[in-house]
Amino acid sequence: MNRRRIEISIRAQQLRVMDRDRELHRYPVSTARNGTGQEMGSECTPLGRHHVRLKIGAGCPLNSVFVARRPSGEIWTPQLANAFPDRDWILTRILWLSGDEPGRNRGGDRDSLRRFIYIHGTPDPEPMGEPRSHGCVRMRNADIAVLFDQVERGTRVDILVGDFGTPC
């Protein structure tokens, strides 16, 4: 049985890794600039209970660029960013989330998996602790690499609007 779980607080813009009731790690994150929401195309971060459906990027170097969940062969640099100013950078590792609550974050136009909601790395110059993503949960590259190794496929992920310990 997987004893670890991830909790993400929208209000605090933080992610914590729990082992039963003990906090193992806490990381700053950046969730959606459009706030919370479940609908396809909203560019909002979905609330509720999820799980890690797939882990993508094991063994890739920090700052590896992913396009359509595949390593592109590029490594993010400021020069690459200048060449592609409109890219939404997905870097280093991807934890692809699947909703566990039918009608809320699973199924129809409210499906987190079909919305491609990830926990992923982002360019290190991007600020953490403030909502700026297009719906995903962004992390520092070094942090997502550590988190990736701490959790398994199937790990529970609760995305909370309020503080840790409040209902989803």
Side-chain angles (χ1 to χ4, degrees), residues 4-34:
R4 293 205 174 157
R5 72 181 186 282
I6 295 170
E7 294 179 348
I8 299 163
S9 167
I10 301 293
R11 179 176 294 136
Q13 291 292 295
Q14 293 186 341
L15 177 153
R16 70 180 186 171
V17 180
M18 302 294 291
D19 186 341
R20 294 193 178 160
D21 292 328
R22 186 170 62 97
E23 183 177 313
L24 300 177
H25 297 279
R26 189 178 289 224
Y27 303 100
V29 298
S30 177
T31 61
R33 75 177 72 150
N34 288 350

Side-chain angles (χ1 to χ4, degrees), residues 27 29 119-122 128 137-141 143-144 147:
Y27 303 100
V29 298
I119 303 171
H120 66 82
T122 199
M128 289 293 116
V137 178
R138 295 177 177 175
M139 295 182 73
R140 294 265 173 254
N141 292 294
D143 292 346
I144 188 65
L147 176 64

Side-chain angles (χ1 to χ4, degrees), residues 67-88:
V67 176
R69 296 159 306 284
R70 288 180 167 64
S72 70
E74 302 163 302
I75 300 295
W76 185 91
T77 63
Q79 295 78 15
L80 186 64
N82 287 337
F84 299 97
D86 296 327
R87 255 195 200 174
D88 181 21

Side-chain angles (χ1 to χ4, degrees), residues 14 24 32 37 57 64 66 71 76 85 88 123-124 127 131 136 142 163:
Q14 293 186 341
L24 300 177
S64 293
F66 289 83
W76 185 91
D88 181 21
D124 286 332
C136 290
D163 297 320

